[in-house]
Structures are given as structure tokens and as C-alpha cells.
Amino acid sequence: MKRLEECIVKYGKALNKDVLKVDAFLNHQIDPDLMMELGKDFVEHFKDTPITKVVTIETSGIAPSVMLGYLLHVPVVFMKKSKSKIVDDNVYTANIHSFTKGIDYEITCSKDYLAKDDQVLFIDDFMANGEACIGGIKIIEQSGASVAGIGIVIEKAFQPGRKKVEALGYPVYSQARIASLDKDMITFVEE
Ligand code: 5GP
């Protein structure tokens, strides 16, 4: 998506060859106008796919997901990164290894908000090693709902996430695909 690529080039900061900061429009300050464009682009890509729910992971997947849910008139659910040790039988859980933080954490989703007949479009802000996305898929599968599609805002195509998720049988749609990262140079995959 051209506008997203322009924002990444203009405001993105490559911390090193692996990690990109996009705090200026997605991960800290949010550009609502761009978020709506991301929502519209997802709607266009998934226009032939029946969707009953948009599901993401807190925090940064929420903004584009809300725009998408608004456009599709379906609810938006965000999985929580739990710190609580309270045992709760009414949640689905999955473990994730965080690429950026180097730690393991658990995501949870209340059983109240995913149903067997849901067709879920799963959205996340970044894809790196695919851990967050695979954790999200595990929760959707536990609920008996179907994964109707996977939409990623920024994919770092030089990392193995897409391959791992596609090996599970789920195609990935990414709005920007980064081929390489460097302090002064961000290149995109030519589509
Ligand atoms: P994965 O689970 O695919 O390895 O990483 C995806 C998750 O890690 C995303 O939900 C995102 O929060 C975070 N992440 C991975 N790479 C980056 C990055 O380069 N920049 C930012 N801001 N977050 C990232």
C-alpha cells in the first residue's frame, strides 16, 4: 500500500537491521486518517470473504482493526496480553515468544467473544517470526471458529513469519512488505 510505505519511509526509524519503530503513526501516536485507509485496504482485499468478527492482539493491532470493524459492521475483539495469575476457566490461552522484547507471554481471549460459527479476520500490526499470529490462530482454533483471513499492516519479509503461518494453511495478506532494514535505508518487496 503506497501511502503506508510513504509513512514508513518518512517516519519509520530502523533501530537496527531487525526492528522498525513506527511510533509516529501506529505504535504510540496514531494517525486516524491512515488507520481508516488501512481499514479500507483490508476491506478491499477481503471483499469476497465472509467475515463475522475482526480479532487482533492488544495494543497496536486495535486501531486499524476498529476502522476495519466499523467499515464491515462487525465486532472487534482484542486478545489480552495477560499478566494476571488468576485462574479463569472462561478464557482461551496461548503462549507467545515476543520478538521485540525477548520474553514469553500469554495471550487470552474470553470464551464469550468467540463462537463456533464465527468467521474471523485476524489482524496484527507487525509480522516478524509469526509467533503472535500463530498464538492468535491457536486461540481462534480452540474456540472452533474459522480463520477467514490474516491481515498484517507491516510484514518484515526477511523474517520467517509468513512461511510459518502459510505452512499452517493460512495465506497472509500484508499491506507493506519490508525487504530490508537499515538506519538510512528501508526497502520494500516489489510486488
Ligand atoms: P512475531 O510474533 O511475528 O515475531 O512479531 C510480531 C509482534 O511483535 C507484533 O505483534 C509486534 O508487536 C512485535 N514486533 C515484531 N517486530 C516488530 C518491529 O520491527 N517493530 C515493532 N514496533 N513491533 C514489532
Side-chain angles (χ1 to χ4, degrees):
M1 203 190 142
K2 189 118 189 70
R3 181 162 170 203
L4 175 60
E5 288 185 3
E6 285 167 3
C7 284
I8 292 170
V9 168
K10 193 164 176 194
Y11 302 112
K13 293 196 173 78
L15 294 188
N16 49 47
K17 286 182 187 297
D18 287 328
V19 179
L20 175 67
K21 276 191 88 157
V22 288
D23 283 5
F25 60 87
L26 181 61
N27 291 146
H28 195 357
Q29 173 172 261
I30 293 172
D31 177 343
D33 203 47
L34 175 66
M35 295 302 111
M36 183 53 91
E37 292 306 309
L38 300 183
K40 287 180 182 166
D41 182 70
F42 281 134
V43 170
E44 171 61 23
H45 183 82
F46 292 103
K47 62 178 184 293
D48 298 325
T49 308
I51 293 157
T52 63
K53 213 158 261 185
V54 175
V55 174
T56 187
I57 303 181
E58 66 179 353
T59 308
S60 298
I62 295 176
S65 295
V66 168
M67 300 305 191
L68 175 56
Y70 173 80
L71 293 168
L72 293 175
H73 305 288
V74 299
V76 178
V77 177
F78 63 89
M79 297 179 182
K80 297 191 176 191
K81 295 176 177 166
S82 68
K83 290 165 203 84
S84 165
K85 291 274 175 271
I86 299 168
V87 180
D88 184 348
D89 287 344
N90 197 42
V91 293
Y92 301 113
T93 64
N95 285 310
I96 291 180
H97 179 76
S98 164
F99 170 79
T100 42
K101 299 195 180 87
I103 51 159
D104 290 343
Y105 64 96
E106 191 175 62
I107 52 169
T108 66
C109 184
S110 167
K111 293 181 181 176
D112 294 342
Y113 304 122
L114 279 175
K116 272 192 182 49
D117 55 354
D118 273 326
Q119 306 273 336
V120 175
L121 180 48
F122 178 80
I123 300 294
D124 204 7
D125 61 337
F126 269 91
M127 178 172 280
N129 293 321
E131 289 275 324
C133 185
I134 290 168
I137 290 170
K138 280 184 186 159
I139 286 190
I140 297 163
E141 286 178 341
Q142 281 172 51
S143 74
S146 308
V147 180
I150 292 172
I152 301 294
V153 179
I154 302 172
E155 174 192 340
K156 290 179 292 175
F158 55 90
Q159 291 173 325
R162 170 184 289 266
K163 230 183 225 161
K164 284 160 66 180
V165 173
E166 291 192 335
L168 298 176
Y170 299 113
V172 174
Y173 170 63
S174 307
Q175 296 178 312
R177 303 189 68 208
I178 294 178
S180 69
L181 270 183
D182 215 330
K183 285 223 158 59
D184 318 303
M185 181 79 160
I186 298 172
T187 61
F188 296 94
V189 175
E190 308 260 352
E191 304 283 358

